[in-house]
Amino acid sequence: MPIATPETYTEMIDRAKAGKFAYPAINVTSSQTVTAALQGFAEAGSDGILQVSVGGGEYASGSTIKDRVTGTVALARYATEVAKNYGVTVALHTDHCVKENLDSWVRPLLALEAEEVAAGRQPTFQSHMFDGSTVPLEENLTIAEELLELSQRARTILEIEIGVVGGEEDGHEAAINEKLYTTAEDGLATVRALGTGEKGRYLTALTFGNVHGVYKPGSVRLRPELLGEIQEAVGREVGKERPFDLVFHGGSGSSAEEIALAVDNGVVKMNVDTDTQYAFTRPVADHMLKKYDGVLKVDGEVGNKKAYDPRAWGKAAEAGMAARVVEACQQLRSAGQKMA
């Protein structure tokens, strides 16, 4: 199946970690952005991850409705159907659910998936993220333990965040300061609470200076070598090499060298959102500015239907975003690595 099963998703993660590559996790908010991401994965010959934020789910349900569960499920069902034609395997994921949104978003989704599993079906999503960076570490891990147990029933993988990603993401904002760097002690506390797989598999976002949003290279000090130091310190205690399956958040503006070092240190998933938003919108702006007299009925004229047909600029938007997805696959070394 083009949408990964729980077993296939596990295989995807294992292949990435062993082969030292990572999957781009592309945020989607509409059928067009789903199509663009799939097109990019197919062109790169890469498997990948489609992910929905709480705001993306609300938008997909209808901008006047804002039902986050309905919109999230709708995007998943659309992706499940259209992905059949692209020749790649994709996993579906929900992104950055903070504590106050758990009861209205991720817990209902996990309950739906537990029902699907109990009925002998595959879960709609393959993983969900709990963003515990807004609460103290002890509370973060307590909630993560509960969600890991629920994830087991739903046959999904839990993603957690240990540390703080700066900048703004879906209404949550964090300062850019020393809290952006996870410590080895934080990593050890994580494995003591959640184990190293025996309680259920989980993905871990350890922060190393990451910031959401737009910034120029050099504006933020990333320390991807910190990931290796934490992997080594925790690995010594648990007797396992590179014990964490890592996630890279806030990667916009990162250099190729920083991305490569992060992947070498165990990153198997990198979130890509800001850059693909721009790549989608830039061709639309180009179309509107260059063809304004066709898009608009200037001076009482009738305009040009071929110019203002949403499919005209929509195709350009999808192609622009797809090209940025291909670039992400190449940077993360997943290009050409798709499963047979």
Side-chain angles (χ1 to χ4, degrees):
M1 292 292 290
I3 300 299
T5 64
E7 293 80 10
T8 305
Y9 192 31
T10 295
E11 182 182 354
M12 285 173 62
I13 296 169
D14 289 341
R15 290 181 74 246
K17 197 168 185 181
K20 292 193 174 181
F21 65 89
Y23 299 104
I26 308 299
N27 280 65
V28 295
T29 56
S30 65
S31 60
Q32 283 186 302
T33 51
V34 169
T35 300
L38 291 171
Q39 179 182 332
F41 289 138
E43 291 176 359
S46 171
D47 301 318
I49 298 168
L50 302 179
Q51 59 186 27
V52 184
S53 69
V54 65
E58 289 180 353
Y59 179 77
S61 74
S63 59
T64 61
I65 303 299
K66 294 187 177 182
D67 186 320
R68 55 190 59 170
V69 172
T70 295
T72 300
V73 172
L75 286 172
R77 289 179 178 166
Y78 178 80
T80 299
E81 191 61 34
V82 299
K84 297 173 184 176
N85 298 317
Y86 284 88
V88 293
T89 302
V90 291
L92 303 176
H93 175 80
T94 60
D95 186 33
H96 280 285
C97 182
V98 294
K99 177 185 174 183
E100 55 264 34
N101 290 332
L102 283 171
D103 287 341
S104 63
W105 192 36
V106 163
R107 284 195 178 104
L109 289 171
L110 283 169
L112 286 172
E113 288 154 0
E115 291 175 9
E116 290 171 332
V117 169
R121 299 189 297 271
Q122 300 291 351
T124 298
F125 282 82
Q126 286 66 59
S127 53
H128 299 283
M129 182 197 175
F130 165 54
D131 181 352
S133 65
T134 61
V135 298
L137 180 60
E138 184 178 357
E139 183 180 3
N140 181 351
L141 293 174
T142 298
I143 295 171
E145 282 187 89
E146 176 231 335
L147 293 173
L148 188 59
E149 184 177 343
L150 294 176
S151 297
Q152 286 287 90
R153 297 176 196 166
R155 298 186 69 210
T156 61
I157 291 175
L158 178 67
E159 180 183 326
I160 60 171
E161 185 169 307
I162 304 300
V164 177
V165 175
E168 191 274 333
E169 174 81 0
D170 240 14
H172 167 62
E173 189 167 349
I176 300 173
N177 54 34
E178 72 282 349
K179 293 182 180 180
L180 303 186
Y181 302 94
T182 307
T183 66
E185 289 73 23
D186 296 335
L188 289 166
T190 300
V191 295
R192 288 165 187 158
L194 304 182
T196 57
E198 68 278 4
K199 296 182 180 180
R201 192 163 196 171
Y202 59 94
L203 305 173
T204 309
L206 301 177
T207 58
F208 51 100
N210 322 57
V211 176
H212 288 129
V214 183
Y215 60 91
K216 294 179 180 179
S219 299
V220 175
R221 185 174 175 237
L222 288 177
R223 294 182 52 211
E225 68 278 4
L226 181 63
L227 300 178
E229 295 168 8
I230 295 173
Q231 291 271 44
E232 185 177 355
V234 175
R236 279 197 305 268
E237 171 145 322
V238 301
K240 184 177 181 180
E241 185 179 4
R242 292 192 298 160
F244 289 118
D245 301 324
L246 296 178
V247 180
F248 187 163
H249 290 175
S252 297
S254 302
S255 69
E257 293 76 18
E258 289 166 337
I259 293 172
L261 184 54
V263 173
D264 287 340
N265 285 325
V267 165
V268 296
K269 171 181 179 281
M270 177 174 165
N271 291 7
V272 184
D273 185 20
T274 301
D275 289 350
T276 47
Q277 287 177 344
Y278 181 78
F280 185 89
T281 301
R282 178 64 181 82
V284 179
D286 189 62
H287 178 93
M288 299 299 175
L289 291 170
K290 288 181 177 178
K291 301 184 179 182
Y292 75 95
D293 55 347
V295 173
L296 301 176
K297 296 181 179 181
V298 179
D299 295 332
E301 293 297 327
V302 296
N304 183 346
K305 183 179 185 301
K306 291 183 178 179
Y308 59 72
D309 184 335
R311 290 171 293 184
W313 50 264
K315 290 175 186 176
E318 290 167 16
M321 180 172 165
R324 183 60 183 85
V325 172
V326 171
E327 181 184 338
C329 294
Q330 292 168 341
Q331 288 180 321
L332 294 170
R333 308 173 192 154
S334 68
Q337 297 278 4
K338 71 174 185 177
M339 294 188 288

